[in-house]
Structure formats: C-alpha cells, structure tokens
Amino acid sequence: HGDTMVKAALTVNPNLKIVFVRFNDVTSIGNSRGDVNALRKAFDWVAKNASKYSIDAVSVSQSSVSADNLKLCTTDIIVINSVASLNANNIPVFVATGNDKRKDVVGFPSCVNGAIGVGALGNATQLEGLTNTGPGLDMVAPGKVSITKYNGSPTDTAGSSAATAVSAASYVKR
C-alpha cells in the first residue's frame, strides 16, 4: 500500500521529496493490522520532527469506521494534539475518509478536528462509489491513478487512499 501511495503522489509531483513513515505491520496477504497505538506514535513523531525534516504536508492513507476507532475521533488526545500542532505550524494533514460506502461517517483519523478528510473522485464529476462521505469529508481529489508497481507492472489504483496522496502532493507542489 505504501509503495502505491508514494507512486500516486509522484504522478502529481515527480520531484516530491517524501519522508515515508511506515507505522503498521502488514499481514502475509498485505493487509494492515490496524494498530492504533502505532498510528499515535507515527503522528507524534511527525509532529515532533516536522521542522527537522522540512515536512510541508502530511498524507495518511488509513481509515477505520469500526465503533472503537470512531470513538477516537474526539478522545485520542495524542492524535488530536499532533494534528493541532501540525496545523499550528501551517502543515496540513490530509487523511483518507475511507472506502466503506458510508454516507454518515468518515473513518478515524480523518474525523479528527483539523484533519482534512479526503474522498475519491471516480471521474471528473462523480464520487467513487465506495468513498465515505459523512461529516468530515472536506475535499475530494482524483482517486483513480495509473502507476507502475514495484515489480514493474502497470496498474490502476483507486480510492480515498490514492486521493489523499494526490491531494498532499498537489498542495506541496503549489
């Protein structure tokens, strides 16, 4: 997933310099384990090191609409404070709203106050059908991106994760 997001960002801005922070273990079939504590540590690290590494924007292609994670939208002090700190330093935090077809909520952490919840466009005028569009959807961006995978094969990627990487890369380019 990370390689795909980096390549999606590079389609917008091929000269982009990226500080890649992998915060989740991945299962043998490539799925994220969804470790909220690892996410907290990553947000905290970025907030504390943004100046040192000249970070201009943050892109988080992660989302969860589980009941436990949605509670964190207003209670996860580490993530809330990290987003606030980044915003105070003019570093926007773009976060995928998720791809669960939800019309009533966006996933955590895009639901955190100050995060920019990004949904995916399927084409120039329509949302991608899976994009979560509840309160906290702040913007949309192209979610279908053609890239070359790590093994050299071409592929198309779609969804709010890619839209988030595209949004952050577009912001930095401007």
Side-chain angles (χ1 to χ4, degrees), residues 17-84:
K17 292 180 174 53
I18 298 173
V19 176
F20 185 78
V21 179
R22 181 176 175 173
F23 65 87
N24 250 341
D25 286 337
V26 178
T27 67
S28 62
I29 59 170
N31 294 328
S32 168
R33 295 192 191 277
D35 182 351
V36 174
N37 195 44
L39 175 68
R40 287 182 188 115
K41 289 177 182 178
F43 262 108
D44 188 49
W45 184 90
V46 171
K48 289 177 179 171
N49 290 282
S51 176
K52 178 179 180 180
Y53 293 103
S54 300
I55 295 172
D56 296 320
V58 175
S59 174
V60 180
S61 293
Q62 170 97 12
S63 177
S64 172
V65 294
S66 73
D68 286 343
N69 280 349
L70 288 175
K71 291 177 192 171
L72 300 174
C73 297
T74 57
T75 62
D76 193 321
I77 299 305
I78 293 172
V79 173
I80 292 167
N81 288 344
S82 295
V83 170

Side-chain angles (χ1 to χ4, degrees), residues 80-93:
I80 292 167
N81 288 344
S82 295
V83 170
S85 173
L86 290 161
N87 283 329
N89 288 298
N90 297 314
I91 302 168
V93 180

Side-chain angles (χ1 to χ4, degrees), residues 70-127:
L70 288 175
K71 291 177 192 171
L72 300 174
C73 297
T74 57
T75 62
D76 193 321
I77 299 305
I78 293 172
V79 173
I80 292 167
N81 288 344
S82 295
V83 170
S85 173
L86 290 161
N87 283 329
N89 288 298
N90 297 314
I91 302 168
V93 180
F94 298 89
V95 188
T97 61
N99 306 307
D100 306 290
K101 295 186 188 180
R102 297 286 298 263
K103 305 298 180 207
D104 58 334
V105 297
V106 297
F108 174 79
S110 64
C111 57
V112 170
N113 187 37
I116 301 168
V118 183
L121 288 171
N123 61 46
T125 60
Q126 285 188 308
L127 284 171

